[in-house]
Amino acid sequence: MRKFNVFIVFFVFYSLLWSEKTRGFGREEISPSHFAAMNAEQQQKRVYGTVTDQAGETLPFVTVLVKGTNIGTVTDENGVYEMNIAGDATLIFSYMGFRDYEVSTEKKTRIDVVLLEESVRLDEVVVTGYNTVERKHLASSIESVDMERVITRPIIKLEEAFAGTVPGVTMLQGSNLPGSIPGSISIRGISTLQNAAPLVIIDGMEQPLTDVDPNQIKSINILKDAAAASMYGSRGANGVIIIETNRGTTGQFRVNVNSWFAVQNPLNLPEFVNSADFMRLRNEAHTIQGQPLLYTSEDIKQAEEGITPNTDWVKEIMERTASSYNTTASISGGGGVGTFNLMLGYVEENGLNKIEGSDKFSARFNTNINIADRFILLADFYAHRLKVDRLRRNNDGHGLYQIAWRMNPTQGVYYENTDIPNHYMLHNDMNPVAFIKEGGTWNYMYDKSTINLRPRYYITDDLNFEGNISYMIDKSASKWRRLTHKFFDGDGKPVTTWGNDIGAEQNVSQSQLTGRALLNFEKELRGGKDKLYVVGGSEIMSYIFTDYREITKASFFSKLNYSLADRYLFETTVRTDGSSKFAPGNQWGFFPSASFGWNVHNEGFMRSIRESGSISNLKLRASWGRIGNENVDPYLWQEVVNTWGWTMRVPNPDFTWEKQNQWNLGLDLAMLKNRFTVTADVYKKHSYDLIYSDFPVPPLTGSYYLTSSVNIGEVDNKGWEISAKWSDRLNDFSYSIGGMVFDNKNQVLKAGYNTTDTLIFKGTNDRIWYRGIPINNYYGFETDGYFQNQAEIDATNAKFPNTLPGDIRYIDQNGDGILNDEDRVFLGDPAPHYNYSITLDMRYKNWDFSMLGQGVGKRVGRLGGQEGYPVYVDGGSNNLGAPRQYYADNRWTPETPDSRFPRVWTGSSTNTYLSDVWLSDASFFRIKSLQLGYTIPKVSNNIRNLRIYFNAQDFLTFTNWEGLEPERDGGNGAYPRMATYSVGFQVTLF
């Protein structure tokens, strides 16, 4: 808490320092006409009025700006505003959750305004990549994230905001390990062998999602189809996430604070059998296997009486309740010289023991500087330091839990009744509690800094030139420390010593330099009936690593959007990219796209329907585009020779881009005076020249292991998405109910160079490609129950050696009497299907309530490792480990021949081969977030909009999954998934 208090003291001091100096400052961006207005000597005109909502309630702190200038003010707590302007002008009224409203001051002094709630975002300006376009003029598939749902939730990592919030976007979270990425994000499925993560652009810079605090974000737009993502060409095949952070606002000095504290409880911890049952099961396995019994009746009796230890190792390593807390603050304002926004953040995660955890400091400073007439500089600075604490013995964060799963309950933590302090029992040099207490620490530190300069010069009011120079440096280091500790046996004799070990290392650092030049043209034509957007430019990027790797990229691009009579929408993009990652002669790729939109509601034959409010928006969209994927390491096309002169990688001078063609059809609909909205899309993605960077090739003389990088195979992804929302208001009560469902199916069209090829992946026999199969698939044996006795085994030709009663009976697919790879078949698709979510938002006076539920309608999961098998199986000795109680209750015995699982066993076993026995229904529905809040509009003159809230996340799940966590496949142990309960507040100062 000491760091937290220092942070708050600094924040309050800084706020007080600036409160009077910047009061009345202004807007984030200045148009060219403002500079002339500042110098003009015109007669001042007083304008005043009141701003209310549709119910007649006054709206405090509404922003009122003179269009095209920095001049502005805000309404007071009674919704009243007053300002002086030079002559006649147009005023813009803006308020979160309501539509912007423009009104002319000509022949008016008092102007009262009624703002309409923004249930449909037709007039929203969307960041599409290098420029902005009004949503009503878009013909491509771009989805905006509901930022109110993001900033009101206690989210530490931004990835969590994508679970169940955007159609077509999937985020499965497997654990809540402090300091780690919670899960991977995929947009419209996976269609590559390489990294399938989407491209993330933050304020024009390519950065990871982990670099931004959710409270610092103004907008998130997701470019889903090729017509939108082709603006990023070679990097757009996995989708693009465009993030804009908050900037200062003219006329307002604001200090916003968001702080919350949370506790976490593990979900679905493994329940292992107790000591007595463990002994019985080991004896049962030895009996079936014809081996001597390990435990006598007396041993089992002592276990039942509590004489023998009965240790729950998972609970032993959970020393405390996990917790986290977060405080973020922003100080923003502006005036004639520009605007600024200083955003500070501190977040701390405390794990389930006193060592595991992380903390992160971040600072972001965004400023707009009016340098001269028509010349504006957007300058952004960002830095963070992330510290992650792990155990030295298990420094990946999950290893401690893997070891705890492998310990059996008969093994104690300490020797009893001895005079030796901390007298740990070691079992094959393992004791998870000793790892925590005596095993030492491993500390990671990650530093990142960015500078982002975007000068903009307005050649005319409609044409501007924008440059962009950005630099990012990413450094990391680690250190470890363990003090000497001696271990003794039960008689007090020395057993072993964990020696003193102290060290540190500097990891590979990365720097990223980007230079960009843009021409941006935006103009209304034909008296405002049409609108044209044109952007063109060039970009070069350079990545340098301290291990001597270098990557260079260059791009040329242009995009045109045209709205004809606000009815017919045209978009086209042309981009060409070059990358040093590919072989000479194959380094450049060409990525075009085109789309068409039709605003049907603006047609003459729709006038009566539109004016009645029955249909206020009906847009049809169609698009096609080509995009690429180059998410691979550099130098893959070159030859690699080891220190003995052996060729390890065969060069491939034809190695080149991975490409994807995609079409999309879409519908946007708003009905019943915008109370009901629907968006629907259907699409197809065809990926070809897929990159396989580790393709095995026949060995040459002097080599034993050879690979090459090749472009191989073709994959189709087909999918659909639909989302709907109903919003309404009854006096002081407003509500909205929303839902979405989407699905994506992929299929291999060509596994190799021909449609008849089959591709078995190096390092795993459980993954195979051939025409018609999903790219990520379960490929194994079909089964026909279990062998019930030796007679059945003897009568069956197709069986593995050493088969015993209770073992799995595998089906001999080709009937040749031999079980081998020829008998394996496609068993299931692990991808989530029929993803869906439900949202409910209600507001009554100052109370608000929200709920987000997320689910997967169909998914096949694999029960691997100890989540499925009765003991730890590593191919060698597996004397450690106890069965899960669920397995023990459902195992085969002669008395239970139709059980869910095979017999209990020890040692390696053919029962662990991938088969339909180990596949299970992993569909689920989860209450993702449940929140109740209360807002006090005004506490004092300098404290307003104080909101206090309680939030519960991931606390309730409905599933038939037989493992522990339906969002991940089974395994041998991992940091658990958590339910989070938090309380927090948000407040605006000054």
Side-chain angles (χ1 to χ4, degrees):
M1 293 296 291
R2 181 179 57 84
K3 299 175 185 176
F4 176 77
N5 292 333
V6 170
F7 171 77
I8 290 296
V9 170
F10 167 77
F11 162 69
V12 173
F13 172 77
Y14 195 92
S15 302
L16 293 173
L17 180 67
W18 279 92
S19 60
E20 295 303 324
K21 292 184 178 181
T22 59
R23 191 179 301 276
F25 271 26
R27 196 181 180 188
E28 66 176 73
E29 191 170 309
I30 317 302
S31 79
S33 60
H34 165 58
F35 300 103
M38 288 192 302
N39 297 322
E41 294 183 359
Q42 300 182 29
Q43 183 178 359
Q44 294 291 305
K45 177 180 179 180
R46 177 176 173 269
V47 179
Y48 64 97
T50 303
V51 181
T52 61
D53 61 14
Q54 289 175 278
E57 297 291 332
T58 57
L59 296 176
F61 316 118
V62 175
T63 301
V64 186
L65 294 171
V66 177
K67 187 174 183 179
T69 75
N70 268 340
I71 302 171
T73 186
V74 293
T75 60
D76 62 19
E77 57 270 19
N78 297 314
V80 176
Y81 73 95
E82 180 181 352
M83 60 190 303
N84 293 321
I85 60 175
D88 291 324
T90 298
L91 301 184
I92 303 175
F93 295 79
S94 303
Y95 195 61
M96 181 176 292
F98 291 79
R99 297 189 205 174
D100 288 356
Y101 179 78
E102 295 188 14
V103 61
S104 172
T105 64
E106 185 176 0
K107 299 180 181 180
K108 300 176 184 176
T109 301
R110 175 166 182 154
I111 303 175
D112 295 327
V113 171
V114 178
L115 294 184
L116 305 179
E117 290 195 47
E118 191 177 30
S119 56
V120 65
R121 299 164 295 173
L122 299 180
D123 299 323
E124 178 186 7
V125 175
V126 179
V127 180
T128 63
Y130 307 125
N131 72 336
T132 60
V133 177
E134 289 183 66
R135 181 173 291 277
K136 62 183 179 181
H137 294 154
L138 285 175
S140 50
S141 181
I142 299 179
E143 187 71 28
S144 298
V145 176
D146 184 351
M147 288 309 303
E148 186 173 359
R149 189 171 294 280
V150 173
I151 62 178
T152 57
R153 287 172 57 192
I155 295 176
I156 294 177
K157 298 148 187 171
L158 186 56
E159 287 88 349
E160 299 176 38
F162 292 89
T165 56
V166 181
V169 179
T170 303
M171 205 291 284
L172 295 179
Q173 183 174 348
S175 79
N176 290 80
L177 179 65
S180 70
I181 297 174
S184 59
I185 295 174
S186 63
I187 299 176
R188 291 188 166 180
I190 299 174
S191 56
T192 178
L193 290 165
Q194 307 304 312
N195 182 2
L199 174 68
V200 179
I201 303 295
I202 302 174
D203 291 333
M205 287 185 65
E206 181 179 342
Q207 293 178 252
L209 283 174
T210 51
D211 284 359
V212 60
D213 185 325
N215 296 283
Q216 299 174 358
I217 298 175
K218 175 184 178 182
S219 66
I220 301 176
N221 294 305
I222 300 176
L223 315 186
K224 295 194 295 185
D225 68 349
S230 63
M231 198 58 178
Y232 290 92
S234 65
R235 298 176 289 161
N238 299 320
V240 185
I241 299 175
I242 308 291
I243 297 176
E244 292 286 307
T245 58
N246 290 313
R247 314 191 75 82
T249 305
T250 298
Q252 301 179 60
F253 174 80
R254 282 186 177 178
V255 179
N256 293 314
V257 180
N258 184 8
S259 183
W260 52 261
F261 173 80
V263 296
Q264 297 174 315
N265 292 327
L267 296 172
N268 301 318
L269 292 176
E271 181 184 354
F272 296 116
V273 297
N274 60 34
S275 293
D277 286 341
F278 174 79
M279 292 178 180
R280 294 188 184 98
L281 291 170
R282 290 295 297 273
N283 281 351
E284 181 181 309
H286 278 235
T287 299
I288 296 173
Q289 294 164 184
Q291 298 168 327
L293 300 184
L294 293 177
Y295 304 102
T296 66
S297 298
E298 183 62 26
D299 293 333
I300 297 175
K301 181 179 180 182
Q302 289 183 355
E304 290 177 330
E305 294 175 351
I307 299 173
T308 299
N310 184 27
T311 307
D312 187 332
W313 285 97
V314 174
K315 291 184 179 178
E316 289 291 339
I317 61 174
M318 296 181 180
E319 299 180 317
R320 63 180 179 182
T321 300
S323 64
S324 57
Y325 63 87
N326 173 271
T327 295
T328 58
S330 68
I331 309 164
S332 63
V337 296
T339 64
F340 73 93
N341 193 352
L342 173 64
M343 293 164 278
L344 305 172
Y346 175 73
V347 61
E348 182 172 314
E349 296 181 90
N350 299 304
L352 291 166
N353 61 66
K354 295 179 181 178
I355 294 177
E356 292 173 331
S358 69
D359 60 76
K360 179 179 178 181
F361 289 96
S362 65
R364 185 182 297 274
F365 184 71
N366 293 347
T367 181
N368 296 3
I369 305 172
N370 306 323
I371 295 178
D373 189 16
R374 298 185 176 274
F375 188 21
I376 304 168
L377 174 64
L378 281 68
D380 304 337
F381 307 90
Y382 173 75
H384 79 231
R385 167 163 288 183
L386 171 64
K387 296 180 181 179
V388 180
D389 299 325
R390 299 277 189 254
L391 302 179
R392 177 194 169 278
R393 182 70 179 260
N394 310 106
N395 60 8
D396 68 343
H398 297 289
L400 176 70
Y401 302 88
Q402 295 169 358
I403 298 299
W405 282 28
R406 291 164 56 180
M407 307 296 288
N408 73 60
T410 66
Q411 298 167 331
V413 179
Y414 303 97
Y415 287 102
E416 300 293 337
N417 303 319
T418 66
D419 296 330
I420 302 174
N422 298 326
H423 195 180
Y424 299 100
M425 285 187 183
L426 283 185
H427 313 281
N428 294 338
D429 199 41
M430 291 190 296
N431 184 318
V433 176
F435 292 162
I436 299 172
K437 304 292 187 181
E438 313 295 345
T441 60
W442 199 295
N443 309 108
Y444 298 89
M445 183 173 67
Y446 304 90
D447 284 343
K448 179 168 287 187
S449 302
T450 66
I451 300 175
N452 189 16
L453 304 177
R454 289 178 284 175
R456 181 180 301 166
Y457 179 71
Y458 285 86
I459 302 169
T460 67
D461 288 354
D462 306 312
L463 177 66
N464 68 76
F465 173 82
E466 181 177 326
N468 188 188
I469 298 292
S470 64
Y471 179 76
M472 177 176 68
I473 186 165
D474 196 345
K475 296 182 177 182
S476 62
S478 61
K479 63 181 180 180
W480 58 92
R481 179 176 183 264
R482 183 182 69 185
L483 301 180
T484 301
H485 185 82
K486 294 182 179 181
F487 291 87
F488 303 89
D489 64 14
D491 298 324
K493 296 179 181 179
V495 174
T496 189
T497 300
W498 288 355
N500 186 74
D501 185 18
I502 298 176
E505 64 182 5
Q506 184 77 34
N507 300 322
V508 174
S509 299
Q510 171 189 349
S511 63
Q512 172 186 318
L513 179 64
T514 302
R516 184 185 305 125
L518 299 173
L519 270 176
N520 206 322
F521 181 75
E522 180 178 328
K523 187 175 180 62
E524 292 185 348
L525 306 174
R526 296 201 308 147
K529 296 180 180 179
D530 300 350
K531 191 161 187 178
L532 173 67
Y533 308 82
V534 181
V535 61
S538 178
E539 179 181 66
I540 186 167
M541 304 180 71
S542 175
Y543 304 82
I544 299 177
F545 303 82
T546 53
D547 61 359
Y548 300 102
R549 289 178 296 152
E550 294 186 15
I551 302 171
T552 302
K553 305 175 188 178
S555 306
F556 301 91
F557 50 84
S558 65
K559 183 171 186 176
L560 180 147
N561 292 67
Y562 191 83
S563 170
L564 176 63
D566 207 16
R567 296 199 298 272
Y568 310 112
L569 313 174
F570 305 93
E571 294 181 17
T572 182
T573 302
V574 176
R575 178 164 178 143
T576 180
D577 285 341
S579 174
S580 64
K581 292 181 178 181
F582 302 105
N586 293 287
Q587 294 178 327
W588 287 88
F590 180 66
F591 306 99
S593 74
S595 58
F596 169 76
W598 181 22
N599 281 326
V600 183
H601 61 279
N602 286 332
E603 294 288 354
F605 61 82
M606 292 287 292
R607 177 178 298 173
S608 60
I609 298 176
R610 185 178 66 248
E611 291 177 350
S612 69
S614 298
I615 296 179
S616 52
N617 179 50
L618 175 58
K619 181 193 291 186
L620 303 178
R621 297 177 276 105
S623 69
W624 176 90
R626 174 175 298 166
I627 42 184
N629 183 22
E630 50 100 56
N631 284 338
V632 294
D633 293 330
Y635 315 120
L636 292 178
W637 65 274
Q638 295 178 314
E639 183 179 26
V640 175
V641 179
N642 68 12
T643 55
W644 293 280
W646 293 0
T647 298
M648 305 301 293
R649 178 178 289 276
V650 177
N652 180 8
D654 297 322
F655 185 56
T656 187
W657 300 96
E658 186 173 297
K659 306 171 189 71
Q660 181 186 108
N661 293 330
Q662 180 182 161
W663 59 258
N664 186 95
L665 299 176
L667 164 73
D668 300 320
L669 174 66
M671 302 175 61
L672 305 175
K673 297 183 178 180
N674 294 332
R675 288 196 294 266
F676 182 63
T677 59
V678 177
T679 298
D681 285 270
V682 59
Y683 62 88
K684 179 181 178 181
K685 303 193 296 183
H686 177 69
S687 303
Y688 59 101
D689 286 343
L690 303 184
I691 296 173
Y692 189 9
S693 60
D694 211 16
F695 185 76
V697 298
L700 304 175
T701 302
S703 299
Y704 68 96
Y705 174 82
L706 276 177
T707 63
S708 184
S709 296
V710 297
N711 297 99
I712 192 170
E714 296 181 13
V715 171
D716 265 359
N717 270 258
K718 300 176 182 178
W720 52 268
E721 305 157 0
I722 184 167
S723 61
K725 186 176 182 180
W726 172 271
S727 302
D728 202 358
R729 179 169 187 146
L730 303 171
N731 299 322
D732 293 332
F733 177 71
S734 61
Y735 70 96
S736 66
I737 302 172
M740 68 176 183
V741 60
F742 61 92
D743 192 26
N744 175 277
K745 295 182 180 179
N746 61 55
Q747 184 181 62
V748 175
L749 299 182
K750 186 189 294 184
Y753 298 105
N754 300 295
T755 57
T756 57
D757 288 345
T758 296
L759 179 62
I760 300 176
F761 286 84
K762 184 177 70 67
T764 174
N765 287 329
D766 293 343
R767 190 181 185 195
I768 193 169
W769 275 22
Y770 55 82
R771 183 177 177 86
I773 200 171
I775 60 172
N776 290 324
N777 57 76
Y778 295 128
Y779 189 76
F781 295 99
E782 284 187 326
T783 64
D784 185 22
Y786 306 110
F787 288 105
Q788 301 299 327
N789 50 57
Q790 190 61 43
E792 282 190 11
I793 297 171
D794 295 339
T796 303
N797 292 326
K799 59 180 179 291
F800 288 110
N802 304 317
T803 297
L804 296 171
D807 285 341
I808 298 173
R809 185 201 296 266
Y810 297 109
I811 294 177
D812 180 12
Q813 298 286 346
N814 57 14
D816 63 359
I818 301 172
L819 290 177
N820 53 26
D821 285 347
E822 299 298 322
D823 299 303
R824 296 191 301 153
V825 296
F826 168 64
L827 299 175
D829 180 5
H833 293 288
Y834 305 111
N835 300 266
Y836 64 96
S837 70
I838 300 171
T839 61
L840 172 63
D841 297 280
M842 297 185 293
R843 184 180 295 274
Y844 178 72
K845 294 185 177 180
N846 295 338
W847 291 94
D848 63 86
F849 172 83
S850 65
M851 186 275 289
L852 168 64
Q854 175 216 358
V856 171
K858 181 182 179 182
R859 179 173 177 261
V860 179
R862 181 178 181 180
L863 291 166
Q866 278 192 265
E867 286 198 33
Y869 312 149
V871 290
Y872 175 66
V873 178
D874 61 359
S877 171
N878 64 342
N879 292 323
L880 302 176
R884 286 175 57 209
Q885 188 66 51
Y886 180 75
Y887 179 95
D889 294 339
N890 294 277
R891 74 190 188 283
W892 178 93
T893 67
E895 295 74 30
T896 56
D898 299 323
S899 294
R900 170 68 179 88
F901 297 112
R903 68 177 177 90
V904 67
W905 70 83
T906 63
S908 59
S909 172
T910 57
N911 287 328
T912 62
Y913 294 162
L914 176 56
S915 71
D916 51 22
V917 167
W918 304 114
L919 300 184
S920 181
D921 178 9
S923 60
F924 68 91
F925 175 72
R926 170 168 279 160
I927 302 298
K928 195 72 185 172
S929 175
L930 196 69
Q931 185 171 120
L932 178 67
Y934 183 80
T935 301
I936 303 174
K938 183 179 179 181
V939 178
S940 68
N941 290 333
N942 292 329
I943 302 176
R944 60 182 186 268
N945 291 335
L946 172 62
R947 179 174 179 267
I948 302 170
Y949 60 91
F950 170 79
N951 185 280
Q953 293 189 165
D954 300 328
F955 66 97
L956 185 60
T957 303
F958 303 91
T959 183
N960 292 321
W961 172 239
E962 296 174 287
L964 300 180
E965 171 52 54
E967 294 192 52
R968 70 164 188 247
D969 287 335
N972 288 318
Y975 192 91
R977 188 69 191 278
M978 299 285 198
T980 302
Y981 304 93
S982 58
V983 60
F985 71 89
Q986 297 165 311
V987 66
T988 299
L989 307 177
F990 304 104

